[in-house]
Amino acid sequence: MEAKNHTEVSEFLLLGLSEVPSLKPLLFGLFLSMYLVTVLGNLLIVLVIISDAHLHTPMYFFLSNLSFVDICFTSTTVPKMLVNLHTHRKDISYMGCLTQVYFFMIFAGLDNFLLTVMAYDRFVAICHPLHYTVIMNPRLCALLVLMSWFIIFWVALVHLLLITRLTFSVGTEIPHFFCDLTQLLKVASSDTFINNIYLYVTTVLLGIFPVTGILYSYSKIVSSLKRVSSTAGKNKAFSTCGSHLCVVSLYYGTSLVEYLSYAVTPTSQSSAIASVMYTVVTPMLNPFIYSLRNKDVKAALRRLLGRAAS
């Protein structure tokens, strides 16, 4: 197959989750349902937090940002997959693929940062309750979110610029249901050494620091709770951390499942199926975790539905 410069490559072919035609209507219905639940659930969380003054606190400010990012995260990949399943096509334009890669990296990175910031918020609330309102002031909360956007924007932009230097063969097939960065580097016709080095460095830095921050925050929280004699105080602390811990476990757990599944059975099919967990399933479950495990959110949801009904 003749290698051509990227400016001459008009499209890529996404192989998707299955080549079996009879499964495509089933996959279309399944992922359409999951996508609608994800968007409606996270949008409801955002509306509840914005509309209820009781939830205008740092914890729920970060939660509303997480829900917004989850909507964008899922919308980066699923709509194109649904179109291809419905039309029985595999193509995605060159610019569409690069756009998908760019925004996927941004929203995946923001998920990572926001979960870390939320862990820090819980650390301050439980370990330094008397200084919580002073430390977690609105200015700091906004700054933490803006810094997350700023860092991941430039990290993703450098990735994108490095990709534009690569060449691809005409009719290049990507063994995934979306334009994943690692898969795109594997199918490139030119040398990807610089891209891989930058990918490894950013993965280590943007992976180790957030995980370390989360582990440190919860180690301090556990140490602080050991000194609390009141059972009611411990239960209240655990209830405020429970939802966040569930989301953190789900996010990093599904990412670990993808890595292990690919390590044990290094096939593109296993990687694509495992990717469904953190690109579709996790954003869909987050609203349920926060609404079912959080009394404040459930109360605010009842008030919002009551106002809507009246």
Side-chain angles (χ1 to χ4, degrees):
M1 189 176 291
E2 183 185 359
K4 295 184 180 291
N5 188 274
H6 69 267
T7 55
E8 300 178 46
V9 176
S10 60
E11 64 181 26
F12 297 104
L13 299 177
L14 297 173
L15 298 186
L17 294 173
S18 175
E19 294 287 337
V20 181
S22 60
L23 284 178
K24 291 187 177 181
L26 177 62
L27 291 174
F28 177 82
L30 176 63
F31 282 102
L32 177 60
S33 302
M34 295 172 70
Y35 178 65
L36 292 176
V37 170
T38 300
V39 172
L40 293 176
N42 282 288
L43 185 60
L44 187 60
I45 291 290
V46 173
L47 291 176
V48 165
I49 293 173
I50 291 175
S51 64
D52 199 299
H54 297 88
L55 301 183
H56 292 176
T57 63
M59 182 175 75
Y60 296 110
F61 169 72
F62 296 131
L63 175 58
S64 63
N65 277 273
L66 181 67
S67 294
F68 171 75
V69 168
D70 278 343
I71 293 173
C72 299
F73 184 43
T74 307
S75 299
T76 302
T77 58
V78 176
K80 179 58 180 174
M81 178 179 64
L82 291 174
V83 169
N84 284 5
L85 286 171
H86 182 66
T87 58
H88 298 278
R89 298 179 63 179
K90 301 178 182 179
D91 62 291
I92 182 171
S93 67
Y94 176 79
M95 289 306 299
C97 186
L98 293 192
T99 302
Q100 198 174 66
V101 169
Y102 179 65
F103 284 106
F104 182 85
M105 288 187 291
I106 284 182
F107 295 124
L110 283 172
D111 259 350
N112 204 15
F113 284 143
L114 287 173
L115 290 174
T116 307
V117 169
M118 292 171 76
Y120 175 71
D121 173 72
R122 293 300 83 208
F123 158 71
V124 176
I126 294 173
C127 299
H128 305 284
L130 298 179
H131 303 287
Y132 178 72
T133 55
V134 176
I135 297 174
M136 299 303 296
N137 57 75
R139 182 178 179 180
L140 177 64
C141 294
L143 181 62
L144 289 172
V145 173
L146 289 175
M147 282 180 59
S148 300
W149 277 93
F150 180 80
I151 293 171
I152 201 62
F153 171 84
W154 286 107
V155 169
L157 183 60
V158 173
H159 270 300
L160 188 67
L161 294 175
L162 289 175
I163 292 173
T164 59
R165 297 171 57 253
L166 302 178
T167 57
F168 299 90
S169 299
V170 174
T172 296
E173 295 181 341
I174 300 175
H176 220 300
F177 64 90
F178 67 95
C179 286
D180 180 60
L181 175 62
T182 55
Q183 297 294 339
L184 197 60
L185 296 181
K186 288 179 181 179
V187 299
S189 302
S190 55
D191 181 54
T192 59
F193 178 76
I194 296 177
N195 298 73
N196 286 321
I197 291 297
Y198 183 67
L199 175 62
Y200 293 145
V201 171
T202 53
T203 300
V204 169
L205 292 179
L206 301 183
I208 288 180
F209 281 108
V211 171
T212 302
I214 292 172
L215 292 176
Y216 174 80
S217 296
Y218 276 102
S219 66
K220 291 295 184 181
I221 289 172
V222 171
S223 299
S224 179
L225 291 179
K226 287 181 180 179
R227 297 191 295 268
V228 176
S229 57
S230 170
T231 304
K234 289 183 178 180
N235 291 336
K236 183 179 179 181
F238 279 122
S239 67
T240 59
C241 296
S243 299
H244 180 257
L245 273 175
C246 286
V247 173
V248 168
S249 302
L250 192 61
Y251 180 81
Y252 289 105
T254 51
S255 301
L256 183 62
V257 166
E258 186 203 14
Y259 172 78
L260 292 177
S261 67
Y262 188 75
V264 175
T265 57
T267 63
S268 57
Q269 192 73 7
S270 64
S271 176
I273 293 173
S275 296
V276 172
M277 291 298 294
Y278 75 91
T279 58
V280 183
V281 176
T282 300
M284 180 185 69
L285 294 179
N286 285 354
F288 294 100
I289 293 172
Y290 277 104
S291 61
L292 295 177
R293 293 182 56 88
N294 192 297
K295 294 180 180 179
D296 293 334
V297 173
K298 285 192 288 186
L301 183 59
R302 284 194 294 267
R303 288 193 290 267
L304 178 64
L305 293 177
R307 288 197 298 270
S310 61

